[in-house]
Amino acid sequence: TDELLDQVSHQVYRLMMLNVPYRQPLNYKDELLKQAANDYEKIRRAYNGLFRKLEEAGEVEAETNDVIEALREEFVSAMSDDFNTANAITAIFKAVKLANIYVREKNPPYKEMKSLLKHFSDFLWILGIETGIKPLTEEEKDLINRYRQARKEKNYELSDTLREEILKRGLEL
């Protein structure tokens, strides 16, 4: 296990383990680890993208819909079924897909996005999966806004400089 954790993060390892029913032995293959790394990255990007999009929107009330409620029911049902984490992860990937759709929409439904983020966050917390995203400081928000404005104005030299600063700080947009 220690050798494996030297190769991948704890989050990837956890996801790999959660994809196998706890009553069954794990037949380890490198492909399982690679798949878990890809899966974790998809989850992380979708959650963090949703988080940032809502952060930019400001305060909004959460409002659920039938699709989000069905996701919650699917997750709860899977966990109630002898701790079926593999099926719970399937529900998480449905949340990933919905988050990606919402984030890409021109006029996204922020109230529903807020509800999805809450449930998505709960799902990840229950399984012990962390994405590492933190709210932006005012200074970071200003930096990102200046970057976007420079791009909008086609000031590529300034936007490149600001993008480098954003990357240096490890900020995700």
Side-chain angles (χ1 to χ4, degrees):
T1 305
D2 288 339
E3 290 175 20
L4 197 55
L5 289 174
D6 288 340
Q7 296 174 32
V8 297
S9 73
H10 288 79
Q11 299 303 319
V12 170
Y13 179 75
R14 179 184 313 268
L15 195 56
M16 181 182 73
M17 297 303 290
L18 289 169
N19 262 312
V20 177
Y22 73 92
R23 293 177 188 255
Q24 295 178 2
L26 171 66
N27 294 322
Y28 175 78
K29 297 177 196 157
D30 284 337
E31 293 80 37
L32 286 176
L33 192 60
K34 288 176 187 167
Q35 184 63 50
N38 289 338
D39 288 350
Y40 174 71
E41 192 56 28
K42 287 176 189 172
I43 292 168
R44 189 190 68 74
R45 273 189 272 145
Y47 181 85
N48 291 359
L50 185 63
F51 184 95
R52 283 288 184 249
K53 190 80 166 184
L54 279 164
E55 189 175 39
E56 290 172 18
E59 279 300 310
V60 293
E61 293 287 320
E63 185 177 286
T64 195
N65 63 23
D66 291 344
V67 173
I68 295 169
E69 191 56 34
L71 277 176
R72 190 190 73 71
E73 289 295 324
E74 184 177 342
F75 184 87
V76 169
S77 176
M79 294 302 287
S80 298
D81 180 21
D82 197 26
F83 202 63
N84 190 335
T85 54
N87 283 356
I89 290 170
T90 298
I92 287 174
F93 273 101
K94 289 179 181 178
V96 163
K97 184 176 181 180
L98 186 56
N100 288 335
I101 289 168
Y102 281 164
V103 166
R104 290 182 183 115
E105 283 187 19
K106 195 168 187 117
N107 295 309
Y110 289 110
K111 290 179 177 186
E112 291 171 6
M113 289 169 69
K114 180 83 170 199
S115 177
L116 177 62
L117 182 68
K118 186 215 176 302
H119 292 304
F120 201 167
S121 180
D122 290 348
F123 300 165
L124 296 180
W125 181 83
I126 288 167
L127 295 180
I129 298 170
E130 299 172 358
T131 68
I133 193 150
K134 293 178 175 43
L136 295 171
T137 65
E138 288 305 315
E139 179 185 348
E140 292 166 340
K141 287 177 185 177
D142 181 57
L143 176 65
I144 291 168
N145 287 336
R146 288 190 339 228
Y147 163 71
R148 289 188 174 138
Q149 187 62 35
R151 284 188 60 200
K152 188 176 179 180
E153 294 170 356
K154 299 184 191 241
N155 184 344
Y156 299 119
E157 187 176 331
L158 177 59
S159 72
D160 287 347
T161 303
L162 294 171
R163 185 182 70 237
E164 285 177 30
E165 178 64 24
I166 289 168
L167 292 172
K168 190 169 88 176
R169 292 181 184 208
L171 302 176
E172 289 187 65
L173 303 180

